[in-house]
Amino acid sequence: GDSVTQMEGPVTLSEEAFLTINCTYTATGYPSLFWYVQYPGEGLQLLLKATKADDKGSNKGFEATYRKETTSFHLEKGSVQVSDSAVYFCALSDPYGNNRLAFGKGNQVVVIP
Amino acid sequence: SAVISQKPSRDICQRGTSLTIQCQVDSQVTMMFWYRQQPGQSLTLIATANQGSEATYESGFVIDKFPISRPNLTFSTLTVSNMSPEDSSIYLCSGRMGGRGDTQYFGPGTRLTVL
């Protein structure tokens, strides 16, 4: 079935550093791709999305490009802030399964002042 | 967009009892889902809540353990039956208005602890 793989382990970095979180997917069809963020003690919020190949989603300084050739949707931010500390989940929408979401394991990001 | 609320926000329950979680959406959504997020883990889909009919369960989840109702387009309940400590998790409701590219909105979750 469709699946999402995120890089292992938490990410710790200093304020104003560059952030990359890798996400690759396996899908039989043409899924939509999403990044969700979960701030401490809160529910999931959509951060950005892309619905077709070469689309770039962006929000709050974060960007991710839908790369069909490498089946990837890596999340990037040029200069992180302490307030970006959260768990980030990559997800895909399965077009052959009621468009339900399949999530990656998530990455804890800790930004140190 | 859609705003989703859940009740209760958290509960502590005894082994062998059941808990019903309510999910309310402020606008009509075509699809509603229930997820489980075990401590430190990602989200696992339990089932798709279908309006007026039986929910569609994912592999590893059964109706007897997780009965779900969805009487209309804006409300759903999930019951966790005959609980054990392994059921301690966050349970999240979500809804989506449209098709494949549409955003899926999530409720704040219900944090369940089973003693």
Side-chain angles (χ1 to χ4, degrees):
Chain A
D2 293 359
S3 65
V4 175
T5 301
Q6 290 182 236
M7 52 194 280
E8 291 289 330
V11 178
T12 302
L13 60 170
S14 299
E15 204 166 21
E16 299 183 2
F18 185 88
L19 170 69
T20 299
I21 305 176
N22 289 341
C23 171
T24 57
Y25 67 90
T26 302
T28 53
Y30 299 93
S32 295
L33 301 173
F34 304 83
W35 277 100
Y36 280 84
V37 58
Q38 188 174 36
Y39 296 104
E42 299 185 14
L44 267 74
Q45 303 174 26
L46 178 71
L47 181 60
L48 53 84
K49 69 178 183 181
T51 58
K52 61 183 187 297
D54 300 324
D55 270 2
K56 178 186 285 188
S58 61
N59 186 26
K60 299 182 181 179
F62 290 89
E63 292 184 343
T65 301
Y66 190 149
R67 301 282 188 204
K68 189 170 184 295
E69 64 276 13
T70 55
T71 61
S72 65
F73 193 55
H74 304 322
L75 182 68
E76 297 180 337
K77 185 173 185 180
S79 176
V80 294
Q81 306 300 313
V82 172
S83 58
D84 293 324
S85 298
V87 181
Y88 292 81
F89 293 95
C90 185
L92 68 79
S93 174
D94 175 7
Y96 294 105
N98 268 337
N99 293 299
R100 63 186 185 274
L101 290 176
F103 284 86
K105 291 184 181 296
N107 286 103
Q108 173 87 50
V109 172
V110 177
V111 180
I112 300 170
Chain B
S1 65
V3 176
I4 301 180
S5 59
Q6 288 183 232
K7 289 194 297 186
S9 59
R10 59 178 62 225
D11 208 340
I12 300 173
C13 301
Q14 296 297 319
R15 181 195 298 262
T17 61
S18 298
L19 175 72
T20 295
I21 303 168
Q22 298 180 6
C23 175
Q24 180 73 55
V25 188
D26 70 341
S27 51
Q28 292 186 348
V29 291
T30 55
M31 306 292 290
M32 291 184 76
F33 306 91
W34 287 96
Y35 289 83
R36 181 173 72 183
Q37 186 179 22
Q38 294 178 302
Q41 302 297 314
S42 187
L43 281 76
T44 301
L45 181 64
I46 297 172
T48 302
N50 301 309
Q51 186 202 354
S53 64
E54 190 173 292
T56 304
Y57 290 85
E58 297 299 304
S59 176
F61 298 96
V62 295
I63 187 171
D64 289 347
K65 176 67 175 177
F66 297 101
I68 289 169
S69 77
R70 188 183 173 193
N72 57 52
L73 288 174
T74 62
F75 185 78
S76 178
T77 66
L78 167 74
T79 299
V80 186
S81 303
N82 188 24
M83 289 183 284
S84 67
E86 291 71 36
D87 295 320
S88 298
S89 285
I90 298 173
Y91 292 85
L92 297 106
C93 170
S94 74
R96 193 184 71 237
M97 291 177 176
R100 58 184 287 275
D102 277 13
T103 298
Q104 196 163 318
Y105 298 93
F106 285 82
T110 295
R111 184 179 295 272
L112 171 62
T113 302
V114 184
L115 302 177

